[in-house]
Amino acid sequence: MQRYLVIKYLPELEKNDARFGKLTIQHVLDMRSGLDFDEDKETPFAGIAKLYYRSSLKNQIAKLKMKREPGLAFEYQSINTQLLAAILERASGEKVPVLLSKYLWNPLGAESDAIWSLDDQKTVKAFCCLNATAVDFAKLGRLYLKKGNWQGKQLVSTQWVNATTNADVLAKLGYKNQWWANSNTSYFKDSVSAVQTLNKLKMVAPIKKMSNGTYAVRFKSNDYRAEGILGQIVYVNPDNNVIIVRMGDYPKKNLYFNGFIAKIGREL
C-alpha cells in the first residue's frame, strides 16, 4: 500500500500543493497525511463542522491543501477517512455504500440494513454516521478476530488483518489502518518497582515519569478497537477470543470506557 500515491486516483489534488505528490494511501490510512484540516469539534467554524454540515463533500475534497510533509506526524483528522472514500469510488467506479454491501454487509449476513448519512449530492459521509445494530458491528469485529475469514470465505486478506493488528506496530504507532491500539498501562510508585516488574516479565518497555510522581509502563497489547466520535467501541481481543461492542454517548460520570472495556476483555 505504501507505493500507491493518492494522486494516482485523484491527480487533480497535486495542483493544490506539490506535497500531494508524496502522499500515499498508507499515510491517509494511518492519519499521517499532513493535510490542512481542523478537527476541533468545539467550534462551528472548524473543518470537521464544515465536513458534516456543508454541501458537496466532493468539492471539499477537491480543495484540500497540506500543512506539512506527509508521514511526519500522527494527527487524527476525519478528512482522511473521507479522502479514502473518494479514492475507493474513483478506483472502483462504484459508490461506497454499494461496495460495503457487496463486499462486507451481505457476505457477513448482516441482520439489519445499515443507514449511512449522505450530503446533498448523495455522497456518503464516510468519516462518520454509519448507523447499524450492535450485532452487525460485532460481526465486523469477529471478521478481524478470524483474520478476515467468515465461515470459510476470505472476505479480507489475512495479510491485511495481520498488518493492521500487529501488536508491535500498534504499540509503536497507536493507530493503524483506521484501528486504534488499546493502552495497557501499569503505574508504579517508583522506577525501581517498574524495572523489577519488567525484569520479572522479561520485557523491555519505556518507563515514563508522570506529573503525580508515579512511573508508567505501557505494555504491548494484542487487543485493539474501532471507536466512534461519541465513544462507540468495537473491541477485539484475539488472546481471549472476545468481542465487545458498546453503543451510545460518553457517560456523564468520569468513566474511561476504553480502559474499562479492555480490562473486562483481558479478564474474561
Side-chain angles (χ1 to χ4, degrees):
M1 190 63 68
Q2 185 67 31
R3 66 183 183 275
Y4 292 114
L5 293 173
V6 169
I7 58 170
K8 177 181 178 180
Y9 304 97
L10 301 170
E12 63 271 21
L13 289 178
E14 195 168 18
K15 71 177 185 297
N16 297 349
D17 193 310
R19 288 173 289 190
F20 274 106
K22 302 177 183 179
L23 180 64
T24 68
I25 295 176
Q26 192 63 64
H27 289 141
V28 181
L29 282 163
D30 294 341
M31 299 286 175
R32 294 174 178 270
S33 61
L35 292 172
D36 187 7
F37 182 83
D38 184 0
E39 188 74 13
D40 185 1
K41 300 178 179 67
E42 302 300 320
T43 170
F45 306 107
I48 182 62
K50 295 175 183 177
L51 202 61
Y52 187 85
Y53 290 107
R54 273 191 178 179
S55 62
S56 187
L57 289 163
K58 289 183 179 179
N59 285 347
Q60 293 186 61
I61 290 291
K63 296 176 181 178
L64 282 176
K65 295 183 179 180
M66 309 282 286
K67 66 179 177 183
R68 68 169 69 93
E69 293 284 327
L72 295 182
F74 170 84
E75 183 179 1
Y76 187 90
Q77 297 172 313
S78 297
I79 192 65
N80 284 296
T81 307
Q82 193 65 42
L83 181 57
L84 288 173
I87 293 168
L88 274 174
E89 293 191 345
R90 187 70 64 87
S92 67
E94 296 186 280
K95 296 289 188 180
V96 168
V98 173
L99 295 171
L100 175 67
S101 178
K102 182 188 296 186
Y103 293 107
L104 284 178
W105 222 245
N106 289 337
L108 287 173
E111 297 184 9
S112 304
D113 291 338
I115 301 173
W116 217 336
S117 297
L118 308 173
D119 70 3
D120 63 345
Q121 297 181 358
K122 300 189 183 303
T123 299
V124 68
K125 296 180 180 179
F127 67 96
C128 75
C129 318
L130 177 63
N131 304 286
T133 64
V135 169
D136 289 337
F137 276 126
K139 289 184 177 183
L140 293 175
R142 181 177 174 81
L143 180 65
Y144 267 69
L145 184 69
K146 297 299 182 181
K147 301 293 185 180
N149 190 283
W150 187 262
Q151 299 178 349
K153 184 176 181 180
Q154 200 71 35
L155 303 184
V156 179
S157 76
T158 302
Q159 181 182 5
W160 176 264
V161 176
N162 287 340
T164 301
T165 62
N166 180 281
D168 290 317
V169 173
L170 281 172
K172 180 181 179 180
L173 299 180
Y175 187 91
K176 182 68 178 174
N177 291 342
Q178 307 279 292
W179 287 82
W180 289 95
N182 268 302
S183 177
N184 188 8
T185 306
S186 295
Y187 297 91
F188 302 88
K189 62 181 179 180
D190 51 54
S191 59
V192 174
S193 301
V195 170
Q196 289 176 341
T197 298
L198 286 172
N199 290 338
K200 183 178 179 180
L201 295 173
K202 298 181 180 180
M203 293 181 63
V204 176
I207 300 172
K208 181 180 180 180
K209 186 174 182 180
M210 308 302 290
S211 59
N212 61 2
T214 62
Y215 289 80
V217 177
R218 182 174 181 176
F219 295 96
K220 181 174 67 176
S221 177
N222 288 324
D223 50 355
Y224 50 92
R225 73 185 188 278
E227 183 176 348
I229 185 176
L230 299 177
Q232 310 95 320
I233 293 172
V234 178
Y235 168 86
V236 182
N237 187 317
D239 293 336
N240 293 347
N241 202 37
V242 168
I243 301 162
I244 300 175
V245 175
R246 177 189 181 262
M247 311 288 278
D249 202 346
Y250 285 114
K252 293 181 179 180
K253 294 184 178 180
N254 187 21
L255 179 60
Y256 180 56
F257 261 102
N258 289 347
F260 177 67
I261 288 176
K263 184 176 182 179
I264 293 174
R266 292 167 186 155
E267 293 180 356
L268 288 176

